Amino acid sequence: GYARLSGTSMACPHVAGAAALVRSAFPHISPSRVGELIFASASREPWLEGVVGTGGILDVAELIARAESDFWLLVSVGGSNGGSDSSPSQGISVVIPGSGSVDVDVHIGTPDMGLGSYAAELLVSWQGGNETVPVNFLLAGRPALAGNVSDVAWGLVPTGSSVGKGVELRNNGTGNLLLRLDPLPPPFSASGDVISVAPGGAATVEIVCAPTQLGNFEASALVHSNSGLEPRDALQEDSVERGEKLTFRLACMGEDPPRLEVSPQSGVVLHEVGASRELHPSVPASWERELGNGVVTAPVLLPPSGNE
């Protein structure tokens, strides 16, 4: 029959079996490295935090993926389906006949490798000498420019001034996204530099409206990118010109700038409810002429010393 059991006595055989699985697939991997990979690949669980060393449970799929990525460079003789494979610790031996040659296949990458840059060296030794061959490998993803951008409208902008608006562009892909905005007609402007956006990240493109005359202004903004290209093509220098493009409309209206007019009056001001009247000349004996036949009671506002 069957029974439900738990505890370290049940956990140990599962972990030991996972270690045996890794060693059977990668016989050249060291026992200590297997232990490191088991700990690093554990699936973290909040309820295990502080209870067990890893704070998680065994994840065999992640364990195998990490073991594969540890050994992304192999050398074989006799074709990819035959002959012997090398390992980082063992290598291979090849006998080359006089005046002859032997094809040696170099296998780079594994199905579950993570994105990033990898570097290694192949050491080729022969009787009387050796040569080191550097191997550099970049595993890149596919960039993806997210969605559409709504039209960008400034409304009223005073002539002679400038107002900027930020347009957010996101990268929903796994590769590095490159963006470039085409030059814009006046009164719009923006940087034409190439912008790099990391996977899952976003960049804000600043667009400025600076009208020099009255009127309504509209334009179309065109963004070039390397979105939609295959990873290898997305890394090329001209990739930003060959990928997907994004367009959106711009609109702003130039208006007269606000003007502040200051009265040059520096004399006495008679302040009434809802209005102020300047008294000319600012001499008390002359107020009767300004007031006419009526009688007005109101505070008298005197300018501060040196008022201009």
Side-chain angles (χ1 to χ4, degrees), residues 22-215:
V22 173
R23 287 279 288 172
S24 65
F26 308 98
H28 44 273
I29 193 170
S30 68
S32 61
R33 181 56 180 160
V34 173
E36 292 173 358
L37 293 174
I38 289 174
F39 276 82
S41 62
S43 176
R44 268 55 180 179
E45 300 289 345
W47 57 277
L48 285 175
E49 190 69 35
V51 178
V52 294
T54 62
I57 60 176
L58 181 68
D59 188 336
V60 178
E62 179 66 16
L63 171 62
I64 296 298
R66 288 178 179 250
E68 284 184 333
S69 65
D70 252 19
F71 303 98
W72 57 269
L73 178 63
L74 296 174
V75 179
S76 67
V77 180
S80 58
N81 296 321
S84 60
D85 287 344
S86 70
S87 74
S89 59
Q90 296 171 345
I92 61 172
S93 297
V94 179
V95 177
I96 303 176
S99 301
S101 64
V102 173
D103 291 332
V104 176
D105 297 323
V106 178
H107 306 271
I108 298 177
T110 66
D112 298 299
M113 285 183 71
L115 301 178
S117 299
Y118 297 82
E121 292 181 340
L122 288 176
L123 178 60
V124 182
S125 302
W126 62 92
Q127 188 175 2
N130 61 74
E131 186 75 28
T132 299
V133 181
V135 179
N136 297 290
F137 177 48
L138 173 63
L139 184 58
R142 182 181 285 105
L145 179 59
N148 296 319
V149 176
S150 301
D151 292 349
V152 182
W154 280 258
L156 296 174
V157 178
T159 56
S161 65
S162 63
V163 178
K165 279 187 174 290
V167 177
E168 185 180 84
L169 302 172
R170 299 196 63 85
N171 179 9
N172 284 351
T174 56
N176 204 46
L177 176 66
L178 299 179
L179 303 169
R180 183 184 65 78
L181 182 64
D182 262 359
L184 298 171
F188 305 102
S189 63
S191 172
D193 296 339
V194 175
I195 301 172
S196 179
V197 186
T204 299
V205 177
E206 184 79 4
I207 301 178
V208 174
C209 177
T212 57
Q213 58 187 17
L214 304 180

Side-chain angles (χ1 to χ4, degrees), residues 1-5:
Y2 297 92
R4 181 180 180 86
L5 300 173

